[in-house]
Amino acid sequence: IALLETLPNALGQSLSRSMDRRAAGITFVSHDLQTRFNRVLGRAPKGVQTVIPMGITRPPMDPAFLERINQVAGDRPIVATLGRMVVIKGLDTLLEALVDRPDVLWVAAGSGPERSRLIETAGQRGVSLYAPGQIGPAEREALLSAATVFVQHSRAVGKRQEGCPVALSEALAAGTPSIITSTGGMTSIGQRSGCYMVPSDDSRALRTGLDMLLDKPEKRAKMAAEHRAF
């Protein structure tokens, strides 16, 4: 869809109408992506359109990984992130939001081109970061169980915006209180699932949300119930 949006209007419209005409149906992972496609389409769709987020599975958690995380954290609350470490995830904004909070451990699971720079910058800025690399489903469940707060930051990169990150669905299913950015398909998900939403690339707003949730267990409990219901 981002590609269709970057093409000249006539070409993007021609391709989208060809898809719409030839397909028995098109499924989108978020309402935002459906809206953007239909905007390029420029007319009422002829095929059936559905919106179904990508599915997830929840295996038993890995007790050894849970113990390792808790040992690293000690008595500190844990802020968790999951996923590929790339520019669109905006991990640099979260790092900035955690400066001057050595009492908080950030567990950033995943790998990617931004990982080395993230680790180096965290050391320079005094941010407590544990980056275990890519983890499996059982380890993911352990991390979400141990986490005090989950953060799904995302930013627009050109026309690219995230529709429905799988990691966010996994965190909501686990009932981990989640802070997300109001970008792409996450806006409607956040509104319906009780997430705390902040603007993209706003480290101050993200810090405010983190401070509030870390200090209010009753708020986290309410969010956890809303997440699981969603």
Side-chain angles (χ1 to χ4, degrees), residues 7-122:
L7 294 172
N9 291 340
L11 180 56
Q13 187 176 86
S14 176
L15 286 172
S16 62
R17 289 185 177 184
S18 177
M19 296 176 199
D20 176 59
R21 184 175 62 254
R22 293 165 180 259
I26 301 177
T27 299
F28 304 88
V29 297
S30 73
H31 291 284
D32 176 70
L33 290 173
Q34 180 188 36
T35 298
R36 289 166 59 191
F37 177 82
N38 288 334
R39 188 180 299 126
V40 176
L41 186 65
R43 60 161 169 75
K46 296 182 180 297
V48 176
Q49 292 188 351
T50 53
V51 178
I52 304 174
M54 288 182 281
I56 60 171
T57 57
R58 298 196 61 206
M61 70 177 68
D62 182 336
F65 189 68
L66 178 62
E67 183 178 359
R68 188 195 318 170
I69 293 171
N70 287 330
Q71 285 178 346
V72 175
D75 295 330
R76 293 176 294 175
I78 295 170
V79 172
T81 56
L82 288 166
R84 188 156 167 76
M85 295 178 173
V86 290
V87 172
I88 197 170
K89 299 296 185 181
L91 296 173
D92 53 324
T93 301
L94 176 55
L95 191 152
E96 191 66 29
L98 288 170
V99 171
D100 298 326
R101 285 296 311 251
D103 58 321
V104 175
L105 175 67
W106 175 16
V107 181
S111 61
E114 297 292 306
R115 185 172 184 267
S116 296
R117 183 168 63 174
L118 192 72
I119 293 172
E120 181 181 0
T121 307

